Amino acid sequence: MNILLLGSGGRESAFAWKISQSSQCSQLFIAPGNGGTNAYGKNININPNNFDAVKALVLKENIDLVVVGPEEPLVNGIHDFFINDDQLSKIPVIGPKKEGAILEGSKDFSKQFMARHGIPTPASESFTNETLQQGLTYLENHSLPIVLKADGLAAGKGVVICQTVAEAKDELQLMLGGKFGTAGSLVVIEEYLTG
């Protein structure tokens, strides 16, 4: 079978290495891939978030299976895109639909989901630029250390652990000010847990 692996990070390198070992894999395409993945398949320079380009590649190369590595195309709905397209709907996609991917794509949504379903999670509150003053006040009454998380996807960089209230206040303002782009337009302030 012809397999398309979407992504360009270390995770995709590991996937490409293992998928290429399968006797069921005839050809492996990695989009866009990286310097290491081309040892296991053919890198194709397309953005995984350009669904029309992904579709064209899938049809051109007769792809039988799509494996999605990064969170962003999943949060943007690539699985749903395949399901809703007559030419792609029969091709299996490994990765959750948009509705499931939101658990990774929004920390605030995840916290609300866990609270609704009784799933243990550290106590938290979320703040925006409009509620910045409440966030700063919240930090004054928070135990140390303090965890701040950009709500959206920040390429694995959106979590900061602050050791002082002053540091947390500065960081909250930086995050809401665009430090992580739109991923930080909502910030979750969370209780720090050890272990």
Side-chain angles (χ1 to χ4, degrees), residues 138-156:
Y138 180 79
L139 288 170
E140 291 173 1
N141 301 306
H142 203 286
S143 61
L144 296 171
I146 302 170
V147 180
L148 280 77
K149 295 182 176 181
D151 176 62
L153 297 176

Side-chain angles (χ1 to χ4, degrees), residues 38-129:
N38 62 0
Y40 309 112
K42 182 178 180 183
N43 287 349
I44 306 289
N45 189 20
I46 63 169
N47 182 334
N49 290 298
N50 182 341
F51 296 172
D52 290 329
V54 171
K55 176 181 177 175
L57 175 63
V58 165
L59 296 176
K60 177 185 173 196
E61 300 296 347
N62 297 310
I63 299 297
D64 301 299
L65 174 70
V66 177
V67 179
V68 186
E71 295 88 355
E72 189 176 12
L74 294 167
V75 169
N76 291 339
I78 193 161
H79 194 145
D80 308 75
F81 177 81
F82 270 69
I83 288 170
N84 295 318
D85 187 292
D86 291 338
Q87 293 179 290
L88 304 176
S89 62
K90 300 275 191 273
I91 300 169
V93 175
I94 307 299
K97 297 177 196 166
K98 186 173 186 168
E99 186 178 35
I102 193 70
L103 286 168
E104 179 65 24
S106 170
K107 310 311 179 274
D108 183 65
F109 176 89
S110 297
K111 298 298 278 187
Q112 292 179 36
F113 178 89
M114 288 182 264
R116 270 194 318 275
H117 296 284
I119 300 168
T121 185
S124 70
E125 292 288 331
S126 298
F127 301 94
T128 64
N129 267 322

Side-chain angles (χ1 to χ4, degrees), residues 113-188:
F113 178 89
M114 288 182 264
R116 270 194 318 275
H117 296 284
I119 300 168
T121 185
S124 70
E125 292 288 331
S126 298
F127 301 94
T128 64
N129 267 322
E130 290 75 30
T131 58
L132 173 60
Q133 195 53 53
Q134 293 98 310
L136 295 171
T137 302
Y138 180 79
L139 288 170
E140 291 173 1
N141 301 306
H142 203 286
S143 61
L144 296 171
I146 302 170
V147 180
L148 280 77
K149 295 182 176 181
D151 176 62
L153 297 176
K157 311 278 189 273
V159 177
V160 179
I161 300 172
C162 301
Q163 301 301 321
T164 68
V165 171
E167 178 189 5
K169 285 183 173 185
D170 288 344
E171 192 59 43
L172 177 61
Q173 292 176 80
L174 287 171
M175 290 172 83
L176 290 174
K179 177 178 179 178
F180 298 113
T182 57
S185 59
L186 177 66
V187 175
V188 177

